[in-house]
Amino acid sequence: MAGILRPRGQAAKVVPVELFFDLVYVFAITQLSHLLLDHLGAAGAAQTLLLTLAVWWAWMYTTWTTNYLDPDHPTMRLTLAAMMLAGLAMAAALPQAFGPRALWFATAYVVLQVGRSLVVALAARHEPIGHTFRLILGWHVISAVLWVGGAFAGGTAQVVLWVVALAAEYAAPWHGYRLPFLPRATTADWSIDSGHMAERCQLFVILALGESILVTGLTLAGGDHLSVATVAAFAIAFLTSVAMWWVYFDRSAEAAAEKVAESDDTGRLGRSAYTYSHIPIVAGIIVAAVGDELAIAHPLGPISPGTALTVLGGPALFLAGHAVFQRVVFGRVPASRLAAIAVLVVTAPVVLLAPSLVPPLALAGLAAVVVGGAAFWDSRPA
């Protein structure tokens, strides 16, 4: 496996095979948004959240892998192709992951995580980062038992075991993947190429926004009658997507990559800024896409709890995630971000108390104005 490691000290580029790999996650995001749309209740939201966290974790570990290993190396190309196949099976099983395809989902997820970790542990066995990935492999093997066991158990036991598995995986980086009789990993060993990591996360945000636009377009195309209200709701949904793109990409995206690169501990800051802080950003976009679809489908109907919570909650979650991202990287949260979140959060209970007074079209318009206002405020000359 000579030459499989990326040389440090020179900027790593995102290469076409990584973009090809991401196509699987376009499908996964679509599956997640449809899952939430079809199950707009507390249980459905909880299941969608758990599966979103699993999908994100699978993608993020691949991003960390290609930050260290050259994705254009033949071994890595084959590994990425195998992970695409496992990822496609995982995404296909998402709508029934808590039903008849639980084992399908769990097996695909385990194959993806364990298989990739094994390849990296072998490829980097003589490098400092190799120890970290051997620990990661150990944790994924342990959690694999919980994933597969939960799939066999079904029902409440499945939920409990999958929550425990996911919690263990998410907690592992914070304690250095500690395992008995082995030295823990430290973030000093995780020196990353911040430009590559930032670009990969930016591309995932673009994928999520692309799903939002796809959902709104398909909803409009599938309508039997294009009323003025329907077209207006479509336009508002598009503007909301533009505003979210503007908030994320206008200034902070590139500035954050530079800030991480200047850090004395790029592994620690990169872990917080990209591995964790981007979760509510992506989840917010997915939830907002569901709200857009509901608003376009019934622009003048009464507000249902699901419509109100997705139309307002999606942008609020996105803005909250971006606020956390800015706090982690720059040490501050813009007051405009807090004000925008407050408006969206306060509006939700008011609307739910009088659902017939505010149609989904107006609510979507309010969300667009709030997110657009945050984007405008950020764009002012310094």
Side-chain angles (χ1 to χ4, degrees), residues 24-71:
V24 168
Y25 289 86
V26 176
F27 176 49
I29 293 171
T30 300
Q31 292 281 75
L32 290 169
S33 64
H34 287 171
L35 175 63
L36 180 58
L37 182 64
D38 293 338
H39 301 85
L40 270 179
Q47 290 178 2
T48 304
L49 173 61
L50 191 151
L51 296 175
T52 298
L53 291 173
V55 168
W56 171 259
W57 213 231
W59 181 88
M60 179 49 71
Y61 265 99
T62 303
T63 294
W64 278 82
T65 295
T66 56
N67 197 267
Y68 291 109
L69 273 61
D70 181 8

Side-chain angles (χ1 to χ4, degrees), residues 77-161:
R77 283 188 173 182
L78 291 173
T79 301
L80 287 170
M83 285 191 290
M84 285 183 70
L85 180 60
L88 192 61
M90 177 183 69
L94 283 170
Q96 297 177 309
F98 287 93
R101 293 191 176 180
L103 185 59
W104 180 338
F105 173 85
T107 301
Y109 179 82
V110 165
V111 167
L112 203 163
Q113 296 286 62
V114 173
R116 180 192 54 249
S117 299
L118 178 61
V119 169
V120 182
L122 291 173
R125 60 188 178 278
H126 301 305
E127 302 296 328
I129 194 63
H131 173 64
T132 297
F133 275 96
R134 285 191 292 273
L135 294 176
I136 291 173
L137 175 60
W139 274 93
H140 280 151
V141 170
I142 293 170
S143 68
V145 176
L146 299 174
W147 284 106
V148 175
F152 275 113
T156 303
Q158 175 187 346
V159 175
V160 171
L161 289 174

Side-chain angles (χ1 to χ4, degrees), residues 286-298:
I286 294 173
V287 174
V290 173
D292 290 339
E293 185 165 355
L294 292 169
I296 295 171
H298 307 285

Side-chain angles (χ1 to χ4, degrees), residues 196-260:
H196 175 267
M197 184 69 70
E199 187 176 357
R200 293 296 291 130
C201 288
Q202 290 167 20
L203 288 169
F204 200 93
V205 170
I206 288 290
L207 291 181
L209 288 171
E211 158 61 14
S212 177
I213 292 174
L214 177 64
V215 165
T216 56
L218 289 174
T219 304
L220 183 70
D224 296 329
H225 175 65
L226 295 182
S227 65
V228 173
T230 300
V231 175
F234 167 77
I236 289 171
F238 174 75
L239 292 174
T240 303
S241 296
V242 171
M244 288 193 289
W245 175 88
W246 205 293
V247 165
Y248 184 87
F249 285 97
D250 184 45
R251 292 181 180 176
S252 61
E254 294 303 323
E258 296 173 2
K259 189 74 172 178
V260 174

Side-chain angles (χ1 to χ4, degrees), residues 254-341:
E254 294 303 323
E258 296 173 2
K259 189 74 172 178
V260 174
E262 296 168 358
S263 171
D264 294 331
D265 193 342
T266 58
R268 179 182 296 274
L269 188 54
R271 176 193 63 186
S272 300
Y274 296 112
T275 303
Y276 291 100
S277 296
H278 272 64
I279 295 171
I281 293 175
V282 172
I285 296 173
I286 294 173
V287 174
V290 173
D292 290 339
E293 185 165 355
L294 292 169
I296 295 171
H298 307 285
L300 299 179
I303 290 281
S304 67
T307 301
L309 293 176
T310 53
V311 169
L312 297 174
L317 187 57
F318 167 81
L319 291 171
H322 196 256
V324 172
F325 174 64
Q326 290 188 305
R327 176 66 178 83
V328 167
V329 177
F330 303 110
R332 57 178 174 79
V333 176
S336 61
R337 199 71 77 249
L338 297 177
I341 295 170

